[in-house]
Amino acid sequence: MNRRQLLAASAAMAFATPAHAQPKRPQVIAHRGASGYLPEHTLAVYEAAVRMGADHIEPDVVATKDGHLVVRHDPVLTDSTDVLSHPEFADRKRTIKFKTFEITDFFVSDFTLAEIKTLRARQVFADRSHADDDRYDIPTLQEVLGLRERLSRQAGRTIGIVPEIKFPTFHQDLGLPIEQKLVDMLDRAGLNSGTAPVWIQSFEQANLKALKKLTPIKLLQLISGSDVDATGNVTLLPPDDKPYDWVVSGRAGTYADMLTPEGLDEVATYASVVAPWKRWLVSFRDGHPTLHTDIIANAHARGLEVFTWTLRNDRLDPFYSDPMAEYAQLFGMGVDGVFSDFADTAVAARDALIRER
């Protein structure tokens, strides 16, 4: 079967359900907003994603020194802001040593909210447009929740939100835990229920298990990986080899163990979605793909939905003829949702498959 035939077959499989069953509509989550076009995690980039038809926006959540929740992809500032243009903060740069790695940067947790608000957001990828660098400030999570509500009214549809708690153990060790504050904010926004269009996500496990006791909000377990080797298999090296809370607690195993039937059994006790990096689902060797549909089938058998990340038009594997083909393949495999930097492409691919049902 050649490349075109394989992708056509994947598309045909996308909604191959029994006649009496209504196929589910795959979800499009705007990864950091429409971050392929504008600086990530700004109000403007979330609004752009909704205009493109995204079902959900994804704010990554970190904490400031004075305990406010703001949105940045990581608890650091160099790549995504103009912090280097602020000489008044030059002495804030420092190195933090974790158990298996270290980071040297400017940490959000060393800044007050007032100081964070003096910074401006920048595009993190060098080869994407920088025309909008320094135009937007760093929003608080509360501002993002307010935007979500306004955009839902304007769009005439409910916009979901998929907050990710970044570095939860790190924040807990600083005395800046995020979980309860996040739940309280979602509660005040009327989103503290199991039917709300919300998933709280984390690469760690202990905080999700704790959240299961705090809230009925749906939880999402992220599964990372470091790279792929010459045979197409996912490689696992710190810090992307296992949940960091496993490192701290001394628990043996890696992310690969979470995708076994036994690992998925455990995930299903606290989460409603498992979200592996896309290379766990589709691997390549010598230009030929291997589709790991067993992971999806095993997750579905346990009542888990499967989302995957991150789809990027400008980071496409050479196997695919165009970005739409990657979506067609993943939807054809039965993936329930995708995180994408390019929400417009994701929506177009999803809607094309729905029209073909």
Side-chain angles (χ1 to χ4, degrees):
M1 183 179 290
N2 62 31
R3 177 184 310 185
R4 184 174 297 277
Q5 290 171 325
L6 175 61
L7 295 174
S10 296
M13 291 167 53
F15 299 95
T17 56
H20 64 277
Q22 180 65 30
K24 295 187 70 173
R25 178 176 180 268
Q27 301 296 296
V28 172
I29 304 101
H31 184 247
R32 315 182 200 175
S35 54
Y37 300 101
L38 292 168
E40 65 189 35
H41 293 316
T42 59
L43 297 183
V45 81
Y46 297 133
E47 183 163 359
V50 172
R51 304 291 182 213
M52 292 174 184
D55 300 302
H56 314 281
I57 55 176
E58 187 224 17
D60 293 321
V61 183
V62 296
T64 64
K65 182 179 181 179
D66 47 351
H68 293 277
L69 301 187
V70 298
V71 292
R72 287 290 86 194
H73 177 247
D74 291 300
V76 294
L77 295 166
T78 298
D79 289 343
S80 66
T81 76
D82 66 344
V83 67
L84 294 177
S85 300
H86 289 258
E88 68 272 24
F89 300 139
D91 63 349
R92 305 285 178 92
K93 188 174 185 178
R94 65 186 180 113
T95 298
I96 293 182
K97 294 185 178 181
F98 297 83
K99 286 187 176 293
T100 54
F101 63 99
E102 63 180 44
I103 300 175
T104 300
D105 210 304
F106 297 85
F107 288 81
V108 175
S109 53
D110 291 332
F111 292 73
T112 65
L113 177 59
E115 291 171 332
I116 288 291
K117 281 296 188 179
T118 68
L119 305 178
R120 293 296 177 267
R122 291 184 172 179
Q123 173 61 253
V124 299
F125 288 94
D127 59 345
R128 290 179 178 173
S129 172
H130 288 260
D132 294 289
D133 282 5
D134 301 341
R135 288 188 61 189
Y136 309 113
D137 73 356
I138 312 306
T140 64
L141 180 60
Q142 188 60 57
E143 289 175 305
V144 176
L145 287 169
L147 176 70
R148 186 212 69 86
E149 185 176 1
R150 175 173 66 81
L151 292 176
S152 294
R153 291 195 304 270
Q154 292 176 349
R157 60 188 176 93
T158 300
I159 308 304
I161 190 166
V162 190
E164 180 188 343
I165 299 174
K166 305 299 292 192
F167 285 57
T169 297
F170 166 73
H171 282 100
Q172 291 162 14
D173 289 346
L174 290 176
L176 296 169
I178 292 171
E179 288 74 15
Q180 187 65 61
K181 287 183 179 180
L182 173 59
V183 170
D184 290 345
M185 292 177 74
L186 291 169
D187 185 54
R188 290 193 295 271
L191 297 172
N192 190 15
S193 78
T195 58
V198 184
W199 290 271
I200 299 175
Q201 53 174 331
S202 177
F203 279 106
E204 296 187 24
Q205 185 183 59
N207 70 319
L208 290 180
K209 288 185 174 182
L211 280 163
K212 179 69 173 177
K213 300 176 182 179
L214 289 177
T215 177
I217 291 171
K218 299 182 293 292
L219 306 177
L220 183 155
Q221 178 67 65
L222 292 159
I223 307 289
S224 195
S226 305
D227 205 339
V228 291
D229 62 22
T231 67
N233 293 318
V234 174
T235 58
L236 293 165
L237 297 170
D240 298 310
D241 57 334
K242 64 175 67 180
Y244 187 65
D245 56 290
W246 288 20
V247 176
V248 173
S249 68
R251 176 170 171 172
T254 67
Y255 279 119
D257 296 300
M258 301 180 83
L259 293 174
T260 64
E262 297 76 17
L264 290 169
D265 283 339
E266 181 179 2
V267 172
T269 64
Y270 60 88
S272 62
V273 177
V274 62
W277 178 38
K278 62 185 180 180
R279 286 294 158 259
W280 287 109
L281 303 180
V282 181
S283 59
F284 296 93
R285 182 177 183 181
D286 300 326
H288 299 287
T290 298
L291 309 185
H292 302 279
T293 54
D294 58 314
I295 292 175
I296 298 172
N298 286 336
H300 284 168
R302 289 155 176 80
L304 290 165
E305 291 189 292
V306 179
F307 293 179
T308 194
W309 50 278
T310 302
L311 278 75
R312 294 176 165 126
N313 294 6
D314 53 2
R315 300 291 188 278
L316 198 64
D317 190 280
F319 171 79
Y320 300 109
S321 57
D322 59 69
M324 297 279 281
E326 185 175 25
Y327 291 100
Q329 184 179 73
L330 289 166
F331 291 148
M333 292 172 64
V335 165
D336 302 292
V338 293
F339 290 83
S340 174
D341 287 6
F342 296 83
D344 51 350
T345 306
V347 169
R350 187 266 311 280
D351 292 352
L353 288 175
I354 290 175
R355 288 193 298 270
E356 293 171 6
R357 289 200 306 221

